[in-house]
């Protein structure tokens, strides 16, 4: 079982306090999470020699960056993770217009998504429980939605994130967590030495606005076929459009026991495995990152971290053949994702 401690982290402009919770297990793995945006601010993981390193990108404090963050560092994302084309979708004959915050699209919930909200927070046994009520038509989404997200750190070095939501009206819900990982340490500056494998052979190709075309592609014999272990830093410039990876992979057998991704960093020996009940996972390598001063003064530029975001597919509300994101008042949205940390053998 992990221990959890709570300290005041800062205050918002309206005077409300922000708290940071530290989860620590018997292996000394440590996760720090704030209730502003449900953000993972630190994640200390041992290398193959037992040396701890903070492997997630972040800021030193709320006023040092989280208050104006545009990159969703470590944040909970909602109501809808990823993009919805033209910020519109229709449900039961009603068309809803959302905030347009990403070119012509809505991305990660609009202008003020869950990442910019102060969540309720409690400690329940060895778990951190965050709660938030999203008002009807917040950012244009229908229904009052009650969300609960539970963080747990097991003695098997698993960071488990469990999501649950209900709604008062038919709506769409797609929640995720958005930590940027760098297994060499958050301040290392690049992804050299990181090797990824994604067992599924399918991704959903997108247009120039990052909206899926509706097709599925194996990416055979290209850098988009990640069924074979691939050195991330060597592949980045060969990804079409030159932005590196920002692709949704269709998981064929989603489930908490089914591996969605494996990332290894041989220089440190750190290994990250991801598992999720969701049908999709966005693999993003941070092309757009431009943070002059992160934690400890670190500069986070392009390709200095990677994200593995469990999700429904981008633009699912407008693609009937994609896994549905619709939730109705008599239903409960649930998903579980876990990040498992280990080390390579010496």
């Amino acid at each position: 079982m992990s221990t959890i401690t709570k300290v005041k982290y800062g205050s918002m402009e309206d005077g409300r306090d922000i708290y940071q919770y530290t989860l620590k297990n018997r292996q000394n793995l440590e996760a720090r999470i704030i209730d502003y945006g449900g953000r993972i601010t630190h994640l200390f993981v041992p290398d193959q020699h037992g040396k701890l390193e903070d492997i997630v990108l972040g800021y030193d404090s709320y006023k040092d960056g989280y208050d104006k963050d545009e990159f969703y560092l470590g944040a909970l994302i909602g109501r809808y993770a990823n993009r919805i084309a033209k910020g519109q979708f229709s449900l039961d004959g009603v068309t809803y217009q959302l905030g347009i915050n990403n070119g012509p699209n809505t991305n990660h919930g609009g202008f003020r998504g869950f990442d910019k909200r102060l969540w309720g927070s409690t400690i329940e046994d060895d778990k951190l429980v965050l709660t938030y009520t999203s008002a009807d038509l917040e950012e244009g989404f229908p229904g009052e939605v009650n969300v609960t997200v539970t963080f747990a750190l097991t003695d098997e070095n698993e960071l488990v994130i469990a999501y649950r939501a209900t709604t008062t009206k038919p709506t769409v819900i797609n929640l995720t967590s958005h930590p940027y990982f760098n297994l060499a340490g958050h301040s290392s500056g690049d992804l050299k030495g990181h090797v990824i494998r994604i067992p599924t052979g399918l991704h959903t190709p997108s247009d120039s606005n990052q909206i899926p075309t509706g097709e599925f592609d194996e990416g055979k014999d290209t850098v988009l076929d990640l069924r074979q272990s691939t050195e991330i830093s060597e592949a980045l410039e060969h990804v079409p459009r030159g932005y590196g990876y920002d692709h949704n992979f269709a998981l064929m057998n989603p489930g908490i026991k089914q591996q969605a991704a494996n990332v290894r960093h041989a220089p440190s020996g750190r290994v990250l495995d991801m598992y999720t009940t969701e049908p999709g996972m966005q693999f993003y390598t941070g092309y757009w990152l431009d943070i002059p001063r992160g934690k400890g003064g670190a500069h986070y530029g392009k390709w200095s971290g990677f994200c593995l975001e469990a999700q429904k597919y981008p633009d699912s509300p407008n693609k009937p053949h994609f896994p549905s994101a619709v939730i109705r008042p008599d239903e409960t949205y649930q998903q579980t994702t876990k990040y498992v940390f280990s080390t390579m053998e010496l």
Side-chain angles (χ1 to χ4, degrees), residues 38 41 95 148 224:
T41 62
T95 298
T148 300
L224 292 174

Side-chain angles (χ1 to χ4, degrees), residues 138-150:
E138 182 176 285
E139 292 294 325
F141 292 92
E144 180 181 277
V145 172
N146 289 293
V147 184
T148 300
V149 180
T150 302

Side-chain angles (χ1 to χ4, degrees), residues 219-263:
K220 191 173 181 180
D221 297 324
T222 76
V223 293
L224 292 174
D225 184 356
L226 297 177
R227 288 173 292 185
Q228 301 299 318
S229 296
T230 299
E231 174 86 34
I232 296 175
S233 63
E234 294 179 0
L236 288 172
E237 293 185 353
H238 301 288
V239 179
R241 301 194 184 117
Y243 298 144
Y245 293 98
D246 192 6
H247 294 74
N248 172 62
F249 285 83
L251 307 179
M252 295 297 96
N253 298 294
I256 205 59
K257 295 183 179 180
Q258 183 70 33
Q259 185 187 66
N262 168 268
V263 183

Side-chain angles (χ1 to χ4, degrees), residues 5 35 40 46 51 110 136 146 154 200 225 237 275 293 300 325:
T5 56
D35 52 12
I40 302 170
K51 180 184 176 183
D136 184 24
N146 289 293
T154 74
T200 180
D225 184 356
E237 293 185 353
Y275 301 81
R293 186 176 178 81
Y300 303 139

Side-chain angles (χ1 to χ4, degrees), residues 114-263:
F114 289 2
D115 59 298
K116 296 177 178 65
R117 306 285 178 170
L118 185 64
W119 292 59
S121 55
T122 58
I123 298 172
E124 296 185 8
D125 298 323
D126 59 345
K127 298 179 177 63
L128 170 62
V129 180
L130 301 182
T131 56
Y132 177 67
T133 298
S134 177
D136 184 24
L137 295 180
E138 182 176 285
E139 292 294 325
F141 292 92
E144 180 181 277
V145 172
N146 289 293
V147 184
T148 300
V149 180
T150 302
F151 291 86
L153 186 60
T154 74
D155 284 332
E156 288 69 42
N157 287 352
E158 303 167 324
L159 179 61
V160 184
I161 310 174
Y163 307 75
R164 178 184 175 92
T166 58
T167 179
T168 59
K169 296 179 181 178
T171 193
V172 293
I173 300 176
N174 185 27
L175 309 180
T176 196
S177 181
H178 205 289
Y180 289 80
F181 298 103
N182 190 311
L183 299 184
H186 76 93
S187 61
S188 68
D190 59 47
L191 293 174
K192 291 179 181 178
H194 288 73
V195 174
I196 189 167
R197 179 176 178 271
I198 299 177
T200 180
L202 293 177
H203 70 278
T204 52
S206 60
D207 63 21
S208 60
N209 290 315
Q210 289 292 89
I211 297 299
T213 62
E215 303 168 310
F216 295 87
D217 188 1
E218 287 187 348
K220 191 173 181 180
D221 297 324
T222 76
V223 293
L224 292 174
D225 184 356
L226 297 177
R227 288 173 292 185
Q228 301 299 318
S229 296
T230 299
E231 174 86 34
I232 296 175
S233 63
E234 294 179 0
L236 288 172
E237 293 185 353
H238 301 288
V239 179
R241 301 194 184 117
Y243 298 144
Y245 293 98
D246 192 6
H247 294 74
N248 172 62
F249 285 83
L251 307 179
M252 295 297 96
N253 298 294
I256 205 59
K257 295 183 179 180
Q258 183 70 33
Q259 185 187 66
N262 168 268
V263 183

